[in-house]
Amino acid sequence: MTEGAKRAPIEPLWEVFVRSRRGLSHVHVGSLHAPDATMALRNARDVYTRRQEGVSIWVVPATDITASSPDEKDEFFDPAADKVYRHPTFYQVPEGVEHL
Amino acid sequence: MLGVMDSFQATIDADGRIEPRDAMPEGYRKTLIRQIAQHAHSEIIGMQPEGNWISRAPSLRRKAILMAKVQDEAGHGLYLYAAAETLGVDRADLLDLLHAGKQKYSSIFNYPTLTWADIGAIGWLVDGAAIVNQVPLCRCSYGPYARAMVRVCKEESFHQRQGFEILHTLCNGTPAQKEMAQDALNRWWWPSLMMFGPPDASSTHSEQSMAWGIKRHSNDELRQRFVDMTVPQADVLGIRVPDDELTYDEATGRYSFTQPDFAELYEVVKGNGPCNQERLAHRVKAHEDGAWVREAAAAYAEKQAKKMQGSAA
Ligand SMILES: [Fe+2]
Ligand SMILES: [Fe+2]
């Protein structure tokens, strides 16, 4: 077994997003390895849209995604926790009032 | 304040999902890596027994269907390797472990496909058993694995139907064709029952996996479900499940059946099945023969990236 056969350079990881039909946004469906963006798109088509699951695909290098950290999720999302008045259900509507 | 492991346990207790960057016990991570890798390896090794018949499929229709099915299995492998990678391992390392015989794949693929009816039996029984195993995994506590399983299960139902259709056609053909279908059922029945793993009493990983929400039903429960589902289908085909003790219990609505020979399962797992060496050798050869493609693609990508840099500067 040659070294090359054993371990070709590791291909970058791409995250794949698919728009299932017009009018809907792209949704994350999974990931794959590919040497470049063109191959990533082709592979994504073959792997994630074999049954017409999509009309448009985005591929994004996984390393380019900045994510919030699960460890600090409480503090990070805290500002929204005590603002129930942002929801319509917070308000009392007098009996008989319609279209409000 | 809650410790990180408390929040893991609280999520599990609430039947929530664990996601890749959450804190998790080392044992949970290791169990998942082992299971998902083994599952991924099974998908791609499983392409071989069926790939064996693509060039000999009896019609263009059957050939197109079989190619689509085998291609699906490659896709299943990819979803699963991707799910394993979210746990911090590299697909390339997992493939090395498979090629070195250090990680397993499902023993069912170490049996040969001798006739065209075997392709029917694989779709009907092997994909059928896989569905029974995989449907509960759609609710597995690890998010990426569960999501991969949802995709896989959607695709599996065509696999099972095309297999059943192959056998149904043979069973309504000449006596020799029906005999071929019966012979395939005789050979694939017992290995299919083994796909659910050892009996509960001697299953090593089961209890912890159940507690972690990775496994939802015991091996014996799933095996029973498979038998209950499959025997009436054999009746429709008009072929006989090769079990003299098979009886239907009116009261429970379930079949009682003979357990497979688990000593045979352990032998095949150990590497002594009819096709173990052939399957692994073929996989390693395919991987080595494909090396130049991966190298060329990498070289091209590097050249393009340099060009881009050059034009940006
Ligand atoms: Fe599959
Ligand atoms: Fe399948």
Side-chain angles (χ1 to χ4, degrees), chain A residues 1 4-10 13 31 33 35-36 47-48 50-51 67-70, chain B residues 21-22 72 78-79 85 90-93 96 151 155 158 287-288 291 294-295 297 301:
Chain A
M1 195 188 271
K6 208 172 156 232
R7 185 58 60 83
I10 290 193
L13 187 68
S31 53
H33 288 278
D36 59 35
V47 175
Y48 291 106
R50 283 199 301 286
R51 289 176 175 78
S68 64
S69 153
Chain B
R21 293 161 72 225
D22 290 343
D72 271 357
L78 189 140
Y79 308 152
E85 286 194 318
D90 271 340
R91 181 178 66 183
D93 290 328
D96 282 350
R151 295 190 67 88
E155 302 184 353
F158 124 66
H287 190 68
E288 288 180 358
R294 296 189 292 276
E295 280 159 16

Side-chain angles (χ1 to χ4, degrees), chain B residues 39 42-44 69 72-77 80 109 127 130 134 152-153 155-156 159:
Chain B
H39 198 159
S42 304
E43 299 286 352
I44 63 166
K69 188 204 185 255
D72 271 357
E73 305 301 2
H76 297 176
L80 286 159
F109 301 118
D127 287 88
Q134 286 168 349
V152 166
C153 285
E155 302 184 353
E156 287 293 350
H159 298 180

